[in-house]
Amino acid sequence: MKNPIPKHIAIIMDGNGRWAKIQGFKTRIRGHEIGVTALRNAATHASEIGVKYLTVYAFSEENWSRPKSEIDALMSILVRSLSNELETLQKNGIRLNAIGNLDSLPRKCNKELQETIKATSANNLMTLTLALSYGSRQEILIATKSIVNKVLDGRLKIDDINDISFSKELSTYDLPDPELMIRTSGEQRISNFLLWQSSYAELVFLPVLWPDFSRVHLEDAISQYQKRNRRLGKTSDQIEMNE
Ligand code: IPE
Ligand code: IPE
Ligand code: MG
C-alpha cells in the first residue's frame, strides 16, 4: 500500500550558486533571487496538495562563513521577500514560522520576520518554517543545557528525560517530525539540518538545482516517498499483517 502524502516535508534548498554560474551570471546572487520564486511555488503547491508542514533550510549557522558580500545580499533578499510574499502567504492560508539563531540575523531582518510571523499567525492550512542561521547540533546543545538547568533547579527529574520531553526543548517543539526530507543539487548529505527530528525521515536526493525546482520535482519526491517501505524497526511481514 502507498504511504499517504507526508504531513511534514523538510527541504534542503541547495544549488543556487551553481545555477547562477551555469546561467552565466557574474555573481551567485541571481540564483538566490530565483530561489525565492522556487520556494514560493513549492510552498503554494505543497499547501494545495495537503502538506501541513513545510520546513526549509534557507541559511545555515555554517553559512556565516561565506563572503560578506554574499551574506549581505542574502539578508537583503530575505527582508525584501518577507514583505513581497506576505500576500501569497495570506492568500494560501500559510502560517510563517522560523527556527535557528534568529538573534544573530541583522536587526531589520529579524524585525521583518517577526512581523510576518505575527501577520500570518491565524493561518492554518500549512505552516512554513524557515530555518535561518540554523544548525542542528547547536539546537541540540541548547536543548541539553535547558534540560540540565531544569534538573538542577528541580523542575525535571532525570527519569523524565525521554524522547518526548527532549523533543519539546527543540525549536521544532510544535512541529511533528518530517516524514520526508528532500535535498536538491545532487549533494547527498544532511549538512547539520534537523538531525534529531529526521531520525526516521525518508531521504530523497534530487539532481535539480534549487532555482529550477518546480511542482514536478515536488511530486516526484512525494511519489518516491509514497513507494518506500516504512518499517520503523518492524519486519515487512509485520507491516503487511498490520501489526
Ligand atoms: C543554497 O544554495 C542556498 C544557501 C546555502 C543560502 P548555495 O548557495 O549553497 O548554492 P551552491 O550549492 O553553491 O550551488
Ligand atoms: C546547506 O547548503 C544549507 C542550506 C541549503 C541553507 P550548503 O550549500 O551550505 O551545504 P554544504 O556546505 O554544501 O554542505
Ligand atoms: Mg550549497
Side-chain angles (χ1 to χ4, degrees), residues 34-182:
I34 304 298
V36 175
T37 307
L39 174 56
R40 182 195 311 130
N41 292 337
T44 311
H45 191 44
S47 75
E48 281 167 8
I49 60 179
V51 173
K52 287 296 174 196
Y53 301 89
L54 181 69
T55 300
V56 296
Y57 209 2
F59 192 83
S60 73
E61 189 73 48
E62 290 74 24
N63 287 148
W64 289 113
S65 44
R66 291 194 177 192
K68 185 173 182 303
S69 55
E70 181 164 344
I71 295 175
D72 289 349
L74 276 165
M75 295 301 150
S76 75
I77 291 171
L78 177 61
V79 173
R80 216 183 319 141
S81 308
L82 284 165
S83 61
N84 285 350
E85 301 303 329
L86 182 60
E87 203 186 316
T88 310
L89 295 171
Q90 305 293 40
K91 214 169 66 195
N92 292 282
I94 301 174
R95 174 175 84 91
L96 191 75
N97 180 38
I99 54 172
N101 183 7
L102 306 180
D103 288 340
S104 67
L105 297 173
R107 203 160 357 123
K108 200 157 174 241
C109 253
N110 202 357
K111 188 169 163 273
E112 196 73 46
L113 190 61
Q114 298 309 331
E115 280 172 12
T116 315
I117 289 173
K118 203 165 159 213
T120 60
S121 62
N123 294 345
N124 57 14
L125 275 188
M126 188 181 82
T127 297
L128 171 65
T129 301
L130 301 180
L132 289 164
S133 188
Y134 175 86
S136 195
R137 285 190 168 187
Q138 293 84 336
E139 179 188 38
I140 290 170
L141 287 173
I142 291 169
T144 306
K145 287 180 192 172
S146 160
I147 286 180
V148 170
N149 273 321
K150 285 185 180 173
V151 170
L152 287 179
D153 62 24
R155 280 177 295 147
L156 185 70
K157 293 200 208 78
I158 289 188
D159 285 345
D160 291 335
I161 302 173
N162 54 39
D163 200 322
I164 295 163
S165 63
F166 196 87
S167 297
K168 292 284 170 228
E169 296 291 334
L170 297 169
S171 60
T172 50
Y173 65 92
D174 55 350
L175 311 176
D177 286 343
E179 299 99 323
L180 168 62
M181 183 182 280
I182 303 169

Side-chain angles (χ1 to χ4, degrees), residues 12-14 57-60 63 66 183 187 189 191:
I12 303 175
M13 309 183 290
D14 196 18
Y57 209 2
F59 192 83
S60 73
N63 287 148
R66 291 194 177 192
R183 183 172 188 147
E187 308 297 352
R189 55 177 172 268
S191 301

